[in-house]
Amino acid sequence: MSWTTPKKAIMLAASAEGGTKLNAFDNALLKMGIGNVNLVKLSSVIPSHIEWIEKVPEIPIGMLLPTVYAHIESDEPGTTISAALGVGISEGNQGGLIYEYSGYCTKEEATEMVKRMVEEGFRIRGWKLKEFKVAAAEITVKNKPAAAVAAVVMFPY
Amino acid sequence: MSWTTPKKAIMLAASAEGGTKLNAFDNALLKMGIGNVNLVKLSSVIPSHIEWIEKVPEIPIGMLLPTVYAHIESDEPGTTISAALGVGISEGNQGGLIYEYSGYCTKEEATEMVKRMVEEGFRIRGWKLKEFKVAAAEITVKNKPAAAVAAVVMFPY
Amino acid sequence: MSWTTPKKAIMLAASAEGGTKLNAFDNALLKMGIGNVNLVKLSSVIPSHIEWIEKVPEIPIGMLLPTVYAHIESDEPGTTISAALGVGISEGNQGGLIYEYSGYCTKEEATEMVKRMVEEGFRIRGWKLKEFKVAAAEITVKNKPAAAVAAVVMFPY
């Protein structure tokens, strides 16, 4: 993290089980390829002209990475939990917005929630929505704690 | 954000309605002039010799800014919610402290809470309180989700 | 904080009372020697080849320091609260993991929880656990709000 502005970003989502809620969260991060870095939680704006990448780059263990994330954990068997991030990109890639939602619902319901939030965020700023993207994960709890996580991780170079 | 120490800061507060609680929070940030940056949440200490500014400077979309903030959202009609940050500045501007409070109360009650916290923080450090400042916002929920937000945003230059 | 990777770290824990929950938290940070800096909360991975230090270095007031922390506050007389961070160091100091727990329990119970989490985190990564360390604090609430805090603070140099 820096006083500067991120250059690249990636959207990721996964769900996982674990021996505790925190381990389930950790296991979901590992599936997403970001289990060995330090996430610094951000509020939710995408810099201008960001480049979206498809694959987590090689990152030193313990590097600090600014990240917008939504997560939910549960250990109640039978419960379905979901986390979603909705990303709206503006015309000309001048900037974008990220909204998060997590709750006791399906992935589709969480996606619908973040879509509605993105649309309102664009409307109120007078920005034109060129593209809507979503990262969402869902899991139904069985006999172990489980987590659903969605993240937009940002990179400085 | 950097391994260094912020140079300038600004106090801001606003309340707003929105289609969801998160949009209400976002709309309050927009009113404060910080809706298009990424806030990195801090605990609550003001560097020595900080310069307090009155107007949010031009900031690139998506820049990372270290920010102390208090916020509360509600969608229960008739409820009054408030968020406040109390800032205590020491003699000689050697440093300062920020305490946050948010709750189901008026702006005056939230202000009273943070004032008490600032006084205790100074007393326990043996610092002399030269000036107390507050940023507070209040809103009574009508038929839409609403948010009250108070923030101290810090700048590197 | 920086886009780089921390070089040193310290483990700290303390409990304290205060006039409010936030002041109790603040007073615990003061006991730990980090009451006058800005903590930036991290998720929980230790960089390779980190050097563990024993004493908080001289830090400018208000400096931003990336920190993993667990904390709990209570104002219910008779309640015992604890916060713990468990740190697992890998063979060859290639990296490590930090897990947090806080709750209405003793320091020993909190320590047991984070130990279990560390073991699972190492097992799932196929890493070999060379050393387990813990920072934990406990307090039983009397007639004032109280806090228990455990932290791993990281330094850039």
Side-chain angles (χ1 to χ4, degrees):
Chain A
M1 177 133 18
S2 158
W3 289 102
T4 58
T5 303
K7 299 288 184 294
K8 289 185 188 169
I10 192 167
M11 299 186 73
L12 300 164
S15 59
E17 298 181 321
T20 67
K21 289 180 184 181
L22 185 54
N23 286 110
F25 173 69
D26 184 40
N27 293 343
L29 294 182
L30 279 170
K31 281 191 190 176
M32 294 155 73
I34 53 172
N36 292 330
V37 294
N38 278 305
L39 307 181
V40 179
K41 193 159 191 168
L42 295 188
S43 66
S44 50
V45 175
I46 299 167
S48 298
H49 303 294
I50 201 135
E51 179 190 346
W52 291 91
I53 56 178
E54 299 295 321
K55 194 172 163 304
V56 176
E58 289 264 330
I59 314 167
I61 292 180
M63 187 177 178
L64 310 183
L65 290 179
T67 302
V68 182
Y69 58 99
H71 67 104
I72 182 167
E73 289 80 30
S74 173
D75 53 12
E76 300 162 48
T79 305
T80 296
I81 52 175
S82 294
L85 289 184
V87 172
I89 309 293
S90 68
E91 282 287 349
N93 199 12
Q94 292 306 310
L97 300 174
I98 309 174
Y99 291 84
E100 60 183 74
Y101 185 79
S102 61
Y104 293 85
C105 61
T106 64
K107 201 162 92 169
E108 287 69 29
E109 289 165 327
T111 298
E112 192 48 46
M113 278 300 294
V114 295
K115 188 160 190 284
R116 201 178 124 192
M117 292 181 193
V118 167
E119 287 167 350
E120 177 170 339
F122 270 72
R123 199 167 51 237
I124 208 139
R125 281 167 176 83
W127 290 4
K128 190 154 175 217
L129 181 60
K130 188 187 161 197
E131 188 183 356
F132 172 77
K133 305 201 285 187
V134 69
E138 170 188 317
I139 191 167
T140 298
V141 185
K142 293 179 193 153
N143 56 349
K144 298 180 70 170
V149 185
V152 172
V153 185
M154 299 193 194
F155 300 90
Y157 42 73
Chain B
M1 174 136 14
S2 157
W3 289 101
T4 58
T5 303
K7 299 288 184 296
K8 289 185 186 167
I10 191 167
M11 300 186 71
L12 301 163
S15 58
E17 298 182 320
T20 66
K21 289 179 183 181
L22 184 54
N23 286 110
F25 173 68
D26 183 41
N27 293 342
L29 294 181
L30 279 170
K31 282 191 189 176
M32 295 155 74
I34 53 171
N36 293 328
V37 295
N38 278 306
L39 308 180
V40 180
K41 194 160 192 168
L42 295 188
S43 65
S44 50
V45 175
I46 299 167
S48 300
H49 304 294
I50 202 138
E51 179 192 345
W52 290 91
I53 56 178
E54 299 295 322
K55 193 173 164 303
V56 176
E58 289 264 330
I59 316 165
I61 292 180
M63 188 177 175
L64 310 183
L65 290 178
T67 302
V68 182
Y69 57 99
H71 67 104
I72 182 168
E73 290 79 29
S74 172
D75 53 11
E76 300 163 47
T79 305
T80 295
I81 52 176
S82 293
L85 289 185
V87 172
I89 309 290
S90 69
E91 283 286 352
N93 198 12
Q94 294 306 310
L97 300 174
I98 308 173
Y99 291 84
E100 62 182 73
Y101 186 79
S102 60
Y104 294 82
C105 62
T106 65
K107 200 162 92 169
E108 288 69 30
E109 289 165 325
T111 298
E112 193 47 48
M113 279 299 295
V114 293
K115 188 162 191 285
R116 199 178 128 193
M117 291 181 193
V118 167
E119 287 166 352
E120 177 169 339
F122 270 72
R123 197 167 54 238
I124 208 140
R125 281 168 178 82
W127 290 4
K128 190 153 175 220
L129 182 60
K130 188 189 163 199
E131 187 184 357
F132 172 77
K133 305 200 286 188
V134 70
E138 169 189 317
I139 189 167
T140 299
V141 185
K142 291 177 195 157
N143 56 349
K144 297 179 72 172
V149 185
V152 172
V153 185
M154 300 192 193
F155 300 91
Y157 43 72
Chain C
M1 175 130 21
S2 157
W3 288 102
T4 56
T5 302
K7 300 288 186 293
K8 288 185 187 169
I10 191 168
M11 298 186 73
L12 301 163
S15 58
E17 297 180 323
T20 66
K21 289 180 184 179
L22 184 54
N23 286 111
F25 174 68
D26 184 40
N27 293 343
L29 294 182
L30 279 169
K31 281 192 189 174
M32 294 154 75
I34 53 171
N36 293 329
V37 294
N38 279 306
L39 308 180
V40 179
K41 193 158 192 167
L42 294 189
S43 66
S44 48
V45 176
I46 298 167
S48 299
H49 302 295
I50 203 135
E51 179 192 346
W52 290 92
I53 57 179
E54 298 296 322
K55 194 172 164 301
V56 177
E58 289 264 330
I59 315 166
I61 293 180
M63 188 177 176
L64 310 183
L65 290 178
T67 303
V68 182
Y69 57 99
H71 67 104
I72 182 168
E73 290 81 29
S74 173
D75 52 13
E76 301 163 46
T79 306
T80 295
I81 52 176
S82 294
L85 288 184
V87 172
I89 308 291
S90 69
E91 282 288 349
N93 199 14
Q94 294 305 311
L97 300 175
I98 309 173
Y99 291 83
E100 61 183 74
Y101 187 79
S102 60
Y104 293 84
C105 62
T106 64
K107 200 162 91 168
E108 287 69 30
E109 288 164 326
T111 298
E112 193 46 47
M113 277 299 295
V114 293
K115 187 160 191 287
R116 201 180 126 192
M117 291 181 195
V118 167
E119 288 166 350
E120 177 170 338
F122 270 72
R123 197 167 54 238
I124 207 139
R125 282 168 176 81
W127 290 5
K128 190 152 175 219
L129 182 61
K130 187 189 162 198
E131 188 184 356
F132 172 77
K133 306 201 284 188
V134 70
E138 169 188 318
I139 189 168
T140 299
V141 185
K142 292 177 195 156
N143 56 349
K144 297 180 72 171
V149 185
V152 172
V153 186
M154 299 192 192
F155 300 91
Y157 41 74

